[in-house]
Amino acid sequence: MKRTIHSIPLVMCLVFLVSVISPSFVLSEFYEYTDERGVKHFTDDPARIPETRSRKVRVHRETTDGLSDEEKAARLKAEQEELEASRLKQQEDMKQREERQKTEEEQKQAELEKQKKLQALKTPVVLEGNQILVPVTLVNGEKSVTAIMLLDTGASVTNINNTLASQLEINGGKRGRVRVANGSMAKTLQTIIHSMSVGPKTVKSPLIMVIDAKGPKMRFDGLLGQDFLKNFEYTIDYKSRHIIWKE
């Protein structure tokens, strides 16, 4: 009676022996993936791959068939050094990118501060014919009033009308008389208030003159004179309708 040799178990056994004995089945494997910022990463540990990137992993395999143990060890060491060099490069690239972002943010912030500072040196004005009407803030004690005044380089002293003087609660001062534009004489009151400001520019303890002028109501509340203007350098931008103050 002939014995039957079952071929399937024999084949499996041979495959097992070949896989154990032959080095041609030993593979060196590492993984490559790109994060959400576009940075490439390399690792030999698949557990370090983020779950969100696991579907876009590139596997690198390298056969070590025909290599001695020393050559395998050398190749493994080289691969590890390559992975470490790649990791260090990624860290350096990230550091440089963060530094660039920081520099760009600082430059952007500096530009914003510059624009903000330049904007603060501008005071909007109203042009009516050859007249320049300027917003002026006057402070007397606890009273603060922003009035519209005519910029007048020919006036040596800033003067205001009775209405504005009442709002500032100006009562005492040196009394006198002055000839006004229509040729008539008007009563005056000279006094010192706490401060007077136009945009970013302020004069402390200015002398102002209250003029009790008769006649039609004017578009402005007084004249901004040279006693204020001489303290600062400025230009008038008629196109944009601004006073541009120098720092």
Side-chain angles (χ1 to χ4, degrees):
M1 186 170 97
K2 295 182 180 180
R3 297 178 61 183
T4 302
I5 299 176
H6 296 282
S7 59
I8 294 178
L10 180 60
V11 170
M12 292 178 64
C13 189
L14 288 173
V15 169
F16 173 75
L17 288 173
V18 170
S19 66
V20 171
I21 296 172
S22 175
S24 63
F25 288 89
V26 179
L27 299 177
S28 175
E29 185 173 273
F30 62 96
Y31 308 89
E32 174 188 344
Y33 69 93
T34 305
D35 64 19
E36 61 277 2
R37 292 176 296 181
V39 179
K40 286 188 177 181
H41 297 265
F42 297 89
T43 180
D44 57 358
D45 184 358
R48 293 187 177 182
I49 302 173
E51 186 176 349
T52 55
R53 301 284 122 182
S54 60
R55 294 185 178 180
K56 298 182 179 180
V57 174
R58 183 179 178 186
V59 182
H60 297 269
R61 293 187 178 90
E62 189 172 353
T63 182
T64 58
D65 55 331
L67 298 181
S68 65
D69 290 342
E70 291 79 7
E71 290 171 328
K72 292 176 187 177
R75 176 167 295 185
L76 179 60
K77 182 180 179 182
E79 290 174 353
Q80 290 174 340
E81 290 176 349
E82 183 180 353
L83 286 171
E84 180 64 13
S86 176
R87 185 184 66 80
L88 293 175
K89 184 178 185 305
Q90 290 168 10
Q91 289 182 344
E92 182 63 24
D93 290 344
M94 184 176 295
K95 181 180 178 181
Q96 291 179 359
R97 183 164 56 252
E98 289 173 351
E99 288 176 350
R100 285 195 301 270
Q101 290 174 347
K102 182 180 179 182
T103 300
E104 290 172 0
E105 186 62 30
E106 288 174 349
Q107 291 174 343
K108 182 178 178 181
Q109 189 62 34
E111 182 62 25
L112 289 174
E113 290 296 327
K114 179 182 177 181
Q115 294 300 322
K116 185 178 179 181
K117 194 172 183 179
L118 290 174
Q119 192 62 33
L121 292 172
K122 295 181 179 181
T123 301
V125 298
V126 176
L127 302 179
E128 292 188 354
N130 61 350
Q131 295 182 334
I132 303 172
L133 303 180
V134 184
V136 182
T137 299
L138 301 99
V139 179
N140 184 47
E142 297 183 355
K143 295 294 182 179
S144 176
V145 179
T146 298
I148 299 300
M149 302 182 70
L150 176 65
L151 189 152
D152 189 351
T153 56
S156 58
V157 178
T158 295
N159 61 75
I160 62 176
N161 58 27
N162 277 333
T163 301
L164 183 53
S166 297
Q167 292 174 337
L168 290 167
E169 295 184 356
I170 295 175
N171 298 312
K174 181 179 178 181
R175 299 186 181 276
R177 295 175 69 86
V178 67
R179 189 177 299 279
V180 293
N182 62 9
S184 63
M185 300 298 292
K187 296 178 181 180
T188 62
L189 179 68
Q190 292 189 26
T191 188
I192 294 176
I193 62 174
H194 181 266
S195 66
M196 180 165 53
S197 303
V198 179
K201 303 301 182 181
T202 299
V203 170
K204 299 288 188 180
S205 303
L207 174 69
I208 63 170
M209 180 184 294
V210 180
I211 299 180
D212 184 16
K214 306 299 180 182
K217 182 176 176 59
M218 305 297 290
R219 171 75 173 80
F220 44 87
D221 302 304
L223 304 180
L224 180 64
Q226 277 294 93
D227 54 333
F228 179 91
L229 298 170
K230 69 181 180 182
N231 297 288
F232 312 105
E233 290 186 58
Y234 64 93
T235 57
I236 308 295
D237 187 337
Y238 289 91
K239 186 176 182 179
S240 68
R241 302 189 175 194
H242 283 87
I243 295 176
I244 311 297
W245 306 95
K246 285 193 176 182
E247 296 185 59

